[in-house]
Amino acid sequence: MTTVYVIEGSEVTGPGGFWRAVGEAVNGPGGYFGRNRDAFADCLSGGFGTPEDGDFVLEWRDHAVSRRALGPELFDELVEIVHERAPGTLRLR
């Protein structure tokens, strides 16, 4: 069964908010996996919160809100990390 992790984009007010939202999406309330791009990439590769078999979906709700808060450059970089490390798992809503 595919696991769906939901990032609530409306809670992303900047990079710190993004790391917090992803940590909680993957590891539950108060969840933590790191606070940088490398930790994000590792998390998506499996074994650091996401399933090792890659059977998951990352659903990013209100992604347009996140894009404005993060800035287009960082947002696009984060999306690219997902495409590189976990192809086919990203749903932008």
Side-chain angles (χ1 to χ4, degrees):
M1 185 170 152
T2 302
T3 302
V4 178
Y5 301 110
V6 177
I7 298 173
E8 295 294 348
S10 61
E11 296 176 10
V12 175
T13 57
F18 175 76
W19 306 129
R20 188 171 34 263
V22 171
E24 290 190 352
V26 173
N27 293 314
Y32 175 81
F33 69 86
R35 300 210 183 283
N36 59 56
R37 292 167 183 88
D38 290 335
F40 183 53
D42 288 345
C43 176
L44 296 171
S45 298
F48 295 98
T50 58
E52 298 223 11
D53 65 3
D55 189 15
F56 69 94
V57 169
L58 189 62
E59 183 174 308
W60 194 339
R61 297 180 182 164
D62 295 319
H63 72 281
V65 174
S66 298
R67 190 172 199 277
R68 284 190 297 275
L70 296 169
E73 186 175 312
L74 178 55
F75 178 86
D76 291 346
E77 185 177 339
L78 295 170
V79 167
E80 183 61 30
I81 290 170
V82 176
H83 289 313
E84 288 175 2
R85 290 296 183 109
T89 65
L90 183 62
R91 291 183 194 155
L92 296 175
R93 305 274 187 220

